[in-house]
Amino acid sequence: MTTSEDQMPEVTEEHIERLKENMEKVETLSKRLVEVMASKKPHTSALDGPNQELFARAATVYFAEAWQNPAKLLEQQIEYWGKSVLNFAEAQQALTIGEVDDEHDMPADKRFSNPMWDTNPYFRLIRQQYQTNAQAITQAVASVDDLDAKDKRRLSYFSQQIIDMMAPTNFLATNPDALQKAVETEGQSLINGLENLVSDLEANDGELVVKLADENAFEVGGNLATTPGDVIYRNRMMELIQYKPATETVHETPIVLFPPWINKFYILDLKAQNSLIKWITEQGYTLFVVSWVNPNPSYAETGMEDYIQDGFLAAIEVAKQICKVKQVNAIGYCIAGTTLSLTLALMKQRGDKSIKSATLFTALTDFSEQGEFTPFLQNDFIDGIEEEVTKEGVLRSWIMGRTMSFLRSRDLVYGPAIRSYMMGEVPPAFDLLFWNGDGANLPAKMAVDYLRGLCQRNEFASDGIELLGHKLTLADVDVPLMAITCETDHIAAWKDCYRGVQKMGSRSKTFVVSESGHIAGIVNPPSKKKYGHYTNPDLKSDADTWLKEADFHEGSWWPIWEAWLKKRSGKQVPARETGDSTHPSLAPAPGTYVVANPNI
């Protein structure tokens, strides 16, 4: 038994007066809020939620099943009523006797870590009833049987979004942390929070995009992306950076690394301690990295062909010219790994042997299973995206960023919003979150090509995808390759990556599963001795069997990859300076494209 002692700070008349003074400051901020919302740039409403037909179908099925089996519905309702009445009765008892019965276990949830959720009858009732409601909704969705598997998955996802959105921690009147801080600071935390809210809205043309990191703490090229190098080539699609050597000799075969163009390349060069780019140069390799353009509406007709022709093929050719070699080793990360696979298939059909080996980081090539993106890859959302990009010329970066964030909404949406807008806190100085918020637009044609042809129709892994006059299939990918995937990756699930690699035509294939997720599993330097990895040379079995029979290794996968790459990188030659007479330095790394504002 615990007593519900008053845990709020003592409130004096002086506190109340200062609180009133602070509240008057809200008027000025409210005017700014109205102004920014009035000037908000509209976007396609279909991007804000699923077509209502989904809920209509679910409701029809639910009530049809209830009609056929009313006992099932009654059982669920009676259980819900019983728990609700018990919650209320316990709260009444606690208020009467001044004590809270803490013998009833409630599900662990870090959102409710404040002791008042357990000891204060008011907050305890709110928490209990919220969790009772959440359980009832989850059970109701789970009981809908006669529904298409994709619709069932979408219904489950969006119902969970509603549950998370309605959490009492998201509202000032039912958040003890925010209320306590408001009283302690005499309302200043709320003033600061409203200032943060208005500033975020103003920074995004009225769209609410929660700032995750303190932007004033970082500068690309200042304390991020600082590995020395030069931009030695530039076209409308990319800047090609050649990094300065860190050893006296280097392997003859250079590396060309293609990062995703949804985010910026410097995730691989955040700081010296975890920079893959710096580490590669220290192992004795000549490294080229593509920095993609952040497209504006003039790129509306830019498609996957342009990324291949003016990105992948152009970068490979320039690296060959500068290093005076016939082949390079290529790396593709995420969507760039998907596109590198398309490029390999194209080069196979053209008889072009410029790539000696390929490394894929978290790259999907078989989209027969859409994983956690299933809710967003159905026609209602894709139709909405197509309508949006037709009007705008690009898929604006905040739309893609918002979609990614809502896959982890508690950590990337609601938690940061509470700290910023209700608690009035400055976002943390966290480089990874800064990078996460530094997104890029996607050209209209490219976005639709990718979503329709690859994600929805899965053409590359099935009958083939038409690109640049060729029909490309996974079987065309036949160079030696290593695929690095991540065990808890929610963007490119490792089992889905595995299925694509199995279908590739390469006779030499190495598959690795790193612990952790899409970013931490890749940006995993050996010095941290943090996440381990799994290997298994047998790629004939299904994914579950592969993992069950795999060997686990402590620490980063970087060293085993480098050992694999070394065998395919030729003899040692004198270290190369950046560029040559026909490819002079155009700018120091990290270049100009990575910091350019496409809206200017």
Coordinates of all heavy atoms in Angstrom, one line a residue, residues 42-50 380-381 384 387-388 391 402:
P42 N -0.9 23.9 -48.8 CA -1.7 22.6 -48.8 C -1.0 21.5 -49.4 O -0.1 21.6 -50.2 CB -3.0 23.0 -49.6 CG -2.5 24.1 -50.6 CD -1.5 24.9 -49.8
H43 N -1.4 20.3 -49.0 CA -0.8 19.0 -49.6 C -2.0 18.1 -49.8 O -3.1 18.3 -49.2 CB 0.3 18.4 -48.7 CG -0.2 17.9 -47.4 ND1 -0.2 18.7 -46.2 CD2 -0.7 16.7 -47.0 CE1 -0.7 18.0 -45.2 NE2 -1.0 16.8 -45.6
T44 N -1.8 17.0 -50.5 CA -2.8 16.1 -50.8 C -3.3 15.4 -49.5 O -2.5 14.8 -48.8 CB -2.3 15.0 -51.8 OG1 -1.8 15.7 -53.0 CG2 -3.4 14.0 -52.2
S45 N -4.6 15.5 -49.3 CA -5.1 15.0 -48.0 C -5.0 13.5 -47.9 O -5.1 12.9 -46.8 CB -6.6 15.4 -47.9 OG -7.4 14.9 -49.0
A46 N -4.9 12.8 -49.1 CA -4.8 11.3 -49.1 C -3.6 10.8 -48.4 O -3.5 9.7 -48.0 CB -4.9 10.8 -50.5
L47 N -2.6 11.7 -48.2 CA -1.4 11.3 -47.5 C -1.5 11.3 -46.0 O -0.6 10.9 -45.3 CB -0.2 12.3 -47.9 CG 0.1 12.3 -49.4 CD1 1.2 13.3 -49.7 CD2 0.5 11.0 -49.9
D48 N -2.6 11.8 -45.5 CA -2.8 12.0 -44.0 C -3.4 10.7 -43.4 O -3.4 10.6 -42.1 CB -3.7 13.2 -43.7 CG -3.0 14.5 -44.1 OD1 -1.7 14.5 -44.1 OD2 -3.7 15.4 -44.5
G49 N -3.9 9.8 -44.1 CA -4.5 8.6 -43.5 C -5.0 7.7 -44.6 O -5.1 8.1 -45.8
P50 N -5.4 6.5 -44.3 CA -5.9 5.5 -45.3 C -7.3 5.9 -45.8 O -8.0 6.6 -45.1 CB -5.9 4.2 -44.5 CG -6.2 4.6 -43.1 CD -5.5 5.9 -42.9
D380 N -4.4 3.5 -52.1 CA -4.9 4.8 -51.6 C -3.7 5.8 -51.3 O -3.8 6.9 -51.7 CB -5.8 4.6 -50.4 CG -5.2 3.8 -49.3 OD1 -4.1 3.3 -49.4 OD2 -5.9 3.6 -48.2
F381 N -2.7 5.3 -50.7 CA -1.5 6.1 -50.4 C -0.7 6.4 -51.6 O -0.3 7.6 -51.8 CB -0.6 5.5 -49.3 CG -1.0 5.9 -47.9 CD1 -1.7 5.0 -47.1 CD2 -0.7 7.1 -47.4 CE1 -2.1 5.4 -45.8 CE2 -1.0 7.5 -46.1 CZ -1.8 6.6 -45.3
G384 N -2.3 8.9 -53.6 CA -2.2 10.2 -53.0 C -0.8 10.8 -53.3 O -0.7 12.0 -53.6
E387 N -0.7 12.0 -56.9 CA -1.4 13.3 -57.0 C -0.5 14.4 -56.5 O -0.4 15.5 -57.1 CB -2.7 13.2 -56.3 CG -3.5 14.5 -56.3 CD -4.8 14.4 -55.5 OE1 -5.2 13.3 -55.1 OE2 -5.4 15.5 -55.2
E388 N 0.1 14.2 -55.4 CA 1.0 15.2 -54.7 C 2.1 15.6 -55.6 O 2.4 16.7 -55.9 CB 1.5 14.7 -53.4 CG 2.6 15.5 -52.7 CD 2.1 16.8 -52.1 OE1 0.8 17.0 -52.0 OE2 2.9 17.6 -51.7
K391 N 1.4 17.6 -58.8 CA 1.2 19.1 -58.5 C 2.6 19.7 -58.1 O 2.8 20.9 -58.6 CB 0.3 19.2 -57.3 CG -1.2 18.9 -57.6 CD -2.1 19.3 -56.5 CE -1.8 18.7 -55.2 NZ -2.8 19.0 -54.2
R402 N 8.0 12.1 -42.4 CA 6.9 11.8 -41.5 C 6.5 10.3 -41.5 O 6.2 9.7 -40.5 CB 5.7 12.7 -41.9 CG 4.5 12.5 -41.0 CD 3.3 13.4 -41.4 NE 2.8 13.0 -42.7 CZ 1.7 13.5 -43.2 NH1 1.0 14.5 -42.6 NH2 1.2 13.1 -44.3

